[in-house]
Amino acid sequence: MTRTVRAKAPAKVNLQLTVGPRRADGYHPLVTVFQALDLWEVVEATPRTDGEITLAVEVAAGSPVDAAGVPLDHTNLAWKAAELLARTFGITDGVDLRILKGVPTAGGMAGGSADAAAALVACAEAWDTGATRGELAAMAARLGADVPFSLHGHTAVGLGRGDELTPAMSHGEFHWVLATQTEGLSTPAVFQEFDRRLEAREQAASDFEVDGAIMRALMAGDAVALGQSLLNDLEGPALSLMPRLEEVLDAAEAAEACGAIVSGSGPTVAALARSRQHALAIAAHLRASKVADAVLTASGPASGTMLVQE
């Protein structure tokens, strides 16, 4: 009897994103510290016998996330994950994929990577491949730089393209406010602007190492110290391409956030709060300021990709 398998994968925020000069292969080496947040992408996988793959996308109930623009074909990372898994394990069955979105799209929070990770786990179970976590991690790295962390979750240091992961020690819970924009930012365009700024000496290169202040703040569970240490080399380029994000950062500062940062390549701004109650107060201030199209709250570190019951 055909069964539907569900898996969920978390959003992420970069506490540190240090970018090195572009290499000959076109990639930029990264030093990053990820934290998984309890905003989830849920992927349902239902096997079919004709070898075809189908994809549908919905928005989780009560979520302000917009699913418009999410591709429903082979260009979607969840679809690519299913294809890769099928090729790797010689699966001839197809699958109906259904994505329930809870992570902002094109927001620098790895929603597409979470879809890929959740699809790997759901399809591996639905097709009864017997894939190990290590095998899934190897496939995740082939799908995209952020997919391995979506599978891993919690807090981790990422090197290389961000896919060489080492777990990071973290104590307690951190509470975040996420201000999102309907209009996205192109990740390649942000990296191109980073290259331009670096070459024009409009931006200095950061020390290419894991930030000790961030690691100490995580181990101490100190939100104030962590907020003061947040670091993103792509923030300047993102602000150049979307100057109105300055207003979001200013509003977060006015709400006495511990710190605020553009998440990844943007345009989501992540503000760190002292507590869950403080996060709600910051969110209310950002909504009243009308500097974002949607405002969400989330906590981290969250778990990695996992199977879920009905």
Side-chain angles (χ1 to χ4, degrees):
M1 185 175 68
T2 299
R3 63 173 181 146
T4 296
V5 176
R6 295 169 181 82
K8 67 177 184 179
K12 63 86 178 171
V13 64
N14 295 88
L15 312 178
Q16 173 184 350
L17 182 53
T18 299
V19 183
R22 185 176 57 179
R23 303 183 312 210
D25 62 4
Y27 285 108
H28 294 76
L30 305 176
V31 175
T32 187
V33 180
F34 295 107
Q35 185 165 95
L37 304 182
D38 59 359
L39 296 174
W40 303 96
E41 294 284 284
V42 177
V43 174
E44 296 181 348
T46 306
R48 48 190 296 157
T49 58
D50 59 4
E52 296 295 318
I53 296 175
T54 70
L55 179 63
V57 177
E58 299 177 23
V59 175
S63 172
V65 171
D66 185 359
V70 176
L72 301 178
D73 58 13
H74 67 280
T75 63
N76 189 292
L77 274 177
W79 187 304
K80 291 181 178 181
E83 286 183 326
L84 177 58
L85 187 73
R87 287 198 306 270
T88 302
F89 285 90
I91 302 298
T92 57
D93 284 350
V95 66
D96 293 320
L97 298 173
R98 176 173 171 261
I99 298 173
L100 198 60
K101 290 202 68 63
V103 178
T105 57
M109 299 183 66
S113 296
D115 291 336
L120 281 175
V121 171
C123 290
E125 180 71 14
W127 284 332
D128 195 22
T129 63
T132 66
R133 201 71 172 185
E135 289 169 328
L136 293 177
M139 284 182 279
R142 293 175 59 185
L143 290 164
D146 285 340
V147 183
F149 179 72
S150 297
L151 198 65
H152 181 280
H154 304 284
T155 306
V157 173
L159 302 177
R161 292 189 300 145
D163 56 343
E164 301 169 18
L165 298 177
T166 302
M169 295 292 291
S170 178
H171 179 75
E173 194 172 35
F174 295 90
H175 303 283
W176 296 89
V177 181
L178 307 159
T180 71
Q181 309 290 335
T182 300
E183 179 186 356
L185 268 175
S186 161
T187 297
V190 174
F191 273 98
Q192 287 170 10
E193 176 64 7
F194 169 80
D195 292 335
R196 186 199 67 77
R197 288 166 59 93
L198 211 60
E199 186 175 350
R201 298 188 178 180
E202 295 175 14
Q203 179 170 336
S206 300
D207 292 336
F208 201 66
E209 58 188 22
V210 178
D211 189 275
I214 289 175
M215 302 308 289
R216 289 190 294 272
L218 285 169
M219 291 184 67
D222 188 336
V224 173
L226 181 60
Q228 294 171 348
S229 305
L230 298 172
L231 172 65
N232 182 4
D233 281 351
L234 296 183
E235 181 168 282
L239 294 175
S240 294
L241 298 175
M242 193 178 282
R244 69 174 182 272
L245 295 181
E246 288 274 15
E247 299 177 9
V248 189
L249 293 169
D250 290 344
E253 183 179 1
E256 299 182 348
C258 300
I261 193 170
V262 173
S263 180
S265 58
T268 297
V269 169
L272 184 58
R274 293 187 301 272
S275 64
R276 194 179 301 273
Q277 292 73 24
H278 187 210
L280 294 174
I282 295 171
H285 180 84
L286 293 181
R287 292 189 186 103
S289 301
K290 297 183 178 179
V291 293
D293 293 314
V295 179
L296 307 85
T297 58
S299 298
S303 68
T305 306
M306 66 176 73
L307 293 170
V308 294
Q309 302 300 317
E310 283 210 46

